[in-house]
């Protein structure tokens, strides 16, 4: 019987059968037309399932929302660096200090007459403790944050961490006016809230970032930290010099509210894994899972992590890089204000944009606002460098020009050696404001090269434990956050001179060079054996007992080891 005859016969019999009695039709005799001609709703449902219900790839939405999240994270962290200039009564402190008169005041010493007087009499040591207090809390939640993110997912951890910090930022002015100890306590709590952010995000990228897109996705995400610095420094200066909500308190209110608004969008749009995402396309989900595998809950191999030289290479690189980053991040506005004495006349040398923004603000408004704008300029360059290094590293790896390990070493060396050398130069440019600003900008800007280096290396050597590894390395790397400002405060207490700042630059440069050498010796680019091997304590259902080791993985070559790219993915 031909296909058309058979189909017609089946249709006829089915229709006659339905008239005579509700007899059951065998599955083998069902009408083929139901599969050949599906309904319109079935077609649309299948199309939506394959293409997803959002115009952008789900991993790109995650990258954008995480990018905005880190913009908020660093706005909340950095605003105090500029606000502190307006909060402190510098006139009271200057009577007992050896402030650097080596660099001339371009206003002939008349600019102080129009300065607003801060309401707090805090010396440099106290200011160092306030700036460093954040990191005492930040270090506490690094390891717990990485473990919790790998166990329960990073979405809620990241979101609620930013929300808590935002609320605490809003109450910072009230704490400062109550007592300096209350302010320090609030900053410690803010650090606890933000301490989970990087481990949580690294854990999420362990489930979302395809092998050959790791550098650029992670670089774009964490570049939000630099953009947050770029945004926070000048806007904080503008708000501190305004009469909005009493001046400097408005900087904390503004960024705190901004963080709360971001939290709402994050909770609505982001999901822990591709498997949990309701709007992801089947094509994208299969592409991600074929590249890195499905999300598994594994026991953490703490012994192997603690004894792995590649992990210690990342720890040392992370620590030394953060020493320079945090020292400059918290102290650059102070250096530019007390030593270089930047104001609108120096701004003219740099950019007419800065002049147009600040020339209509009298007195200290000019000094603090231009200070914030110029302090932000190095981090704008760093933001560009971070994105460039991430995209370039992935391009070189994907094309086979360099191995993953060599790519990490090359970009890490750029990100630490160049800043180390340029900081040494800054110490010897004297009072040439233009040269000092150029070398400081290049030093901080080229530091963005680390985003193609150690900062994504966790995902290379142990993608399943990337969140835990970030918690481990960031725990060590948080120490410079409170130690660096304390060293700066100790060296410059009542002694704001170029000689003292030159010592600070020496220390920072030595840190950079040591970190580069150690990383280049011990760093690896391939996945570690202890990350690839089956773990005996693989957990399927949390309510069930531990399952036996899983069967061997399917024959899928690890792209990180073999440097063979997976099939191209097109959206």
């Amino acid at each position: 019987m031909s296909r058309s005859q058979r189909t017609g016969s089946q249709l006829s019999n089915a229709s006659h059968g339905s008239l005579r009695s509700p007899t059951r039709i065998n599955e083998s005799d069902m009408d083929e037309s139901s599969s050949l001609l599906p309904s319109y709703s079935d077609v649309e449902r299948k199309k939506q399932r394959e293409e997803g219900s959002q115009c952008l790839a789900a991993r790109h939405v995650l990258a954008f929302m995480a990018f905005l999240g880190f913009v908020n994270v660093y706005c909340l962290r950095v605003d105090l660096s500029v606000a502190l200039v307006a909060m402190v009564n510098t006139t009271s402190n200057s009577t007992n200090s050896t402030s650097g008169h080596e660099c001339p005041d371009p206003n002939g010493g008349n600019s102080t007459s129009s300065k607003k007087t801060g309401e707090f009499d805090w010396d440099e040591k106290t200011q160092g403790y306030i700036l460093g207090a954040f990191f005492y809390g930040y270090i506490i939640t690094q390891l717990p944050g990485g473990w919790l993110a790998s166990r329960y997912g990073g979405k809620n951890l990241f979101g609620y961490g930013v929300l808590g910090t935002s609320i605490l930022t809003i109450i910072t002015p009230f704490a400062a006016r109550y007592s300096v100890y209350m302010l320090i306590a609030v900053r410690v709590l803010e650090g606890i809230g933000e301490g989970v952010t990087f481990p949580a995000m690294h854990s999420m990228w362990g489930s979302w970032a395809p092998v050959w897109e790791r550098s650029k996705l992670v670089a774009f995400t964490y570049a939000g930290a630099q953009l947050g610095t770029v945004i926070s420094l000048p806007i904080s200066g503008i708000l501190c010099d305004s009469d909005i909500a009493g001046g400097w308190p408005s900087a904390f209110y503004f960024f705190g509210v901004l963080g709360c608004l971001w939290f709402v969008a994050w909770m609505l749009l982001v999901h822990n894994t591709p498997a949990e995402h309701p709007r992801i396309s089947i094509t994208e989900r299969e592409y991600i899972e074929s590249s890195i595998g499905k999300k598994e809950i594994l026991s953490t191999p703490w012994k192997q992590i603690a004894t792995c030289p590649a992990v210690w290479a990342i720890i040392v690189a992370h620590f030394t890089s953060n020493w320079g980053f945090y020292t400059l991040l918290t102290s650059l506005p102070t250096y530019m204000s007390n030593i270089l004495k930047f104001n609108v006349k120096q701004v003219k040398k740099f950019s007419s944009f800065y002049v147009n923004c600040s020339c209509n603000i009298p007195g200290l408004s000019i000094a603090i606002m231009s200070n914030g704008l110029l302090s932000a300029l190095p981090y704008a360059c760093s933001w560009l460098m971070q994105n460039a290094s991430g995209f370039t590293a992935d391009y070189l790896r994907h094309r086979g020009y360099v191995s993953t390990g060599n790519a990490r070493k090359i970009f890490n060396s750029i990100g630490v050696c160049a800043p180390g050398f340029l900081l040494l130069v800054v110490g010897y440019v004297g009072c040439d404001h233009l040269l000092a600003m150029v070398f400081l900008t290049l030093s901080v800007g080229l530091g963005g090269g680390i985003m193609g280096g150690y900062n994504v290396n966790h995902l290379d050597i142990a993608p399943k434990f990337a969140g835990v590894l970030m918690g481990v390395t960031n725990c060590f790397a948080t120490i410079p956050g409170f130690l660096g400002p304390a060293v700066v405060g100790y060296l410059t207490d009542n002694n704001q001179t170029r000689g003292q700042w030159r010592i600070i630059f020496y220390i920072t440069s030595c840190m950079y060079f040591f970190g580069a050498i150690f990383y280049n010796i011990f760093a690896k680019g391939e996945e570690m054996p202890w990350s690839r091997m089956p773990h005996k304590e693989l957990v399927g259902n949390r309510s069930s007992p531990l399952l036996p080791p899983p069967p061997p993985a399917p024959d899928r070559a690890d792209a990180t080891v073999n440097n063979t790219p997976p099939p191209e993915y097109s959206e």
Side-chain angles (χ1 to χ4, degrees):
M1 181 183 294
S2 67
R3 178 180 177 183
S4 61
Q5 290 174 331
R6 179 167 52 85
T7 304
S9 174
Q10 289 174 348
L11 284 169
S12 176
N13 292 338
S15 64
H16 286 130
S18 63
L19 291 174
R20 289 194 300 269
S21 63
T23 57
R24 183 182 181 89
I25 300 176
N26 292 332
E27 192 175 85
S28 59
D29 295 329
M30 290 183 69
D31 183 11
E32 291 184 13
S33 64
S34 63
S35 61
L36 296 175
L37 298 172
S39 66
Y40 176 78
S41 60
D42 290 337
V43 171
E44 289 299 309
R45 191 159 42 246
K46 183 178 180 181
K47 181 180 179 183
Q48 184 177 8
R49 187 163 170 260
E50 290 180 348
E51 297 181 356
S53 58
Q54 50 189 29
C55 57
L56 294 175
R59 68 187 185 281
H60 296 156
V61 173
L62 171 62
F64 181 69
M65 288 304 302
F67 169 81
L68 294 180
F70 281 102
V71 169
N72 279 281
V73 163
Y74 269 71
C75 284
L76 297 170
R77 184 185 301 192
V78 172
D79 55 1
L80 181 63
S81 297
V82 173
L84 202 61
V85 179
M87 295 167 67
V88 175
N89 187 339
T90 55
T91 304
S92 173
N93 289 332
S94 63
T95 58
N96 299 319
S97 66
T98 306
S99 184
H101 296 293
E102 303 152 297
C103 294
D105 188 336
N107 290 326
N110 296 325
S111 60
T112 56
S113 60
S114 58
K115 287 186 177 182
K116 296 178 183 177
T117 301
E119 56 187 284
F120 303 106
D121 295 326
W122 297 332
D123 59 20
E124 282 82 357
K125 282 186 180 179
T126 303
Q127 294 176 51
Y129 293 143
I130 293 171
L131 291 171
F134 174 93
F135 298 98
Y136 288 103
Y138 192 73
I139 197 172
I140 294 173
T141 48
Q142 293 299 317
L143 283 175
W147 183 84
L148 289 171
S150 64
R151 203 77 175 171
Y152 303 106
K155 173 190 171 180
N156 289 338
L157 201 62
F158 188 91
Y160 283 107
V162 176
L163 177 65
T165 306
S166 300
I167 295 172
L168 289 166
T169 299
I170 293 173
I171 68 173
T172 295
F174 304 100
R177 285 170 173 159
Y178 183 82
S179 75
V180 66
Y181 301 107
M182 181 63 71
L183 174 60
I184 290 174
V186 167
R187 291 291 291 179
V188 170
L189 291 175
E190 288 181 22
I192 290 174
E194 281 198 12
V196 301
T197 53
F198 278 95
M201 198 63 244
H202 240 53
S203 178
M204 290 188 73
W205 279 131
S207 301
W208 276 97
V211 170
W212 298 105
E213 298 181 26
R214 283 174 180 166
S215 300
K216 59 187 177 185
L217 287 173
V218 173
F220 177 77
T221 298
Y222 295 153
Q226 305 301 328
L227 187 61
T229 305
V230 172
I231 291 172
S232 179
L233 288 172
I235 292 181
S236 295
I238 294 171
L239 293 173
C240 287
D241 296 323
S242 71
D243 293 326
I244 301 173
W248 62 264
S250 62
F252 298 101
Y253 302 150
F254 176 78
F255 292 116
V257 170
L258 205 63
C260 294
L261 295 176
W262 169 86
F263 168 78
V264 176
W266 171 264
M267 297 303 290
L268 292 175
L269 297 175
V270 170
H271 298 270
N272 281 315
T273 65
E276 295 179 16
H277 202 299
R279 297 179 298 277
I280 191 174
S281 67
I282 292 180
T283 307
E284 184 185 7
R285 176 177 168 180
E286 290 178 349
Y287 166 63
I288 295 172
E289 291 180 346
S290 66
S291 176
I292 60 177
K294 295 182 179 181
K295 174 70 175 179
E296 297 175 312
I297 303 176
L298 304 169
S299 62
T300 303
W302 293 109
K303 181 179 179 181
Q304 289 86 346
I305 290 174
T307 56
C308 180
V311 173
W312 281 101
I314 301 175
I315 290 173
V316 173
H318 203 164
F319 178 93
T320 54
S321 175
N322 271 20
W323 182 281
F325 177 76
Y326 286 137
T327 299
L328 293 178
L329 180 68
T330 56
S331 306
L332 190 57
T334 302
Y335 175 76
M336 298 178 71
S337 174
N338 294 342
I339 303 300
L340 298 181
K341 304 185 186 301
F342 267 104
N343 60 29
V344 72
K345 291 186 178 181
Q346 280 70 46
V347 176
K348 286 181 180 178
K349 293 182 181 180
F350 236 87
S351 171
S352 60
F353 168 75
Y354 291 138
V355 177
N356 293 333
C357 286
S358 59
C359 63
N360 293 325
I361 306 175
L364 184 63
S365 300
I366 292 175
I368 294 181
M369 183 179 173
S370 61
N371 187 356
L373 286 165
L374 285 173
S375 297
L377 183 59
Y379 299 98
C381 295
S382 181
W383 176 74
L384 294 174
M385 183 62 182
Q386 283 190 357
N387 283 290
S389 66
F391 277 83
T392 306
D394 274 352
Y395 175 83
L396 295 175
R397 292 168 58 235
H398 197 181
R399 296 288 180 176
Y401 295 130
V402 295
S403 67
T404 298
N406 287 335
R408 300 296 177 233
K409 293 176 182 179
I410 290 170
F411 284 95
N412 191 74
S413 296
I414 294 172
V416 294
C417 291
F421 173 75
L422 290 168
L423 277 181
L424 290 176
V425 175
V426 170
Y428 289 95
V429 297
C431 294
D432 190 321
H433 299 82
L434 180 60
L435 282 179
M437 196 62 219
V438 167
F439 288 124
L440 279 172
T441 299
L442 289 175
S443 176
V444 178
L446 290 174
I450 61 170
M451 203 55 67
Y454 81 83
N455 217 24
V456 71
N457 202 195
H458 315 71
L459 292 164
D460 298 323
I461 66 173
K464 296 182 180 68
F465 306 101
V468 173
L469 289 187
M470 175 55 87
V472 171
T473 66
N474 212 20
C475 183
F476 285 93
T478 300
I479 297 173
F482 53 81
L483 193 58
V487 169
V488 173
Y490 175 79
L491 291 174
T492 61
D493 186 26
N494 295 327
N495 194 15
Q496 289 281 354
T497 63
R498 285 193 296 117
Q500 293 301 105
W501 278 95
R502 191 177 295 138
I503 295 173
I504 294 168
F505 294 148
Y506 284 156
I507 295 172
T508 305
S509 296
C510 290
M511 287 286 187
Y512 276 141
F513 295 139
F514 174 75
I517 294 171
F518 194 95
Y519 185 81
N520 286 339
I521 294 173
F522 295 104
K524 301 291 182 183
E526 66 273 9
E527 187 173 0
M528 295 290 100
W530 47 264
S531 176
R532 293 196 303 268
M533 69 180 185
H535 291 265
K536 294 181 179 180
E537 297 184 30
L538 178 66
V539 179
N541 188 324
R542 291 189 181 91
S543 61
S544 63
L546 298 179
L547 300 177
D555 188 15
R556 177 176 62 87
D558 191 300
T560 309
V561 177
N562 299 328
N563 282 328
T564 54
E568 293 291 337
Y569 167 73
S570 59
E571 295 173 18

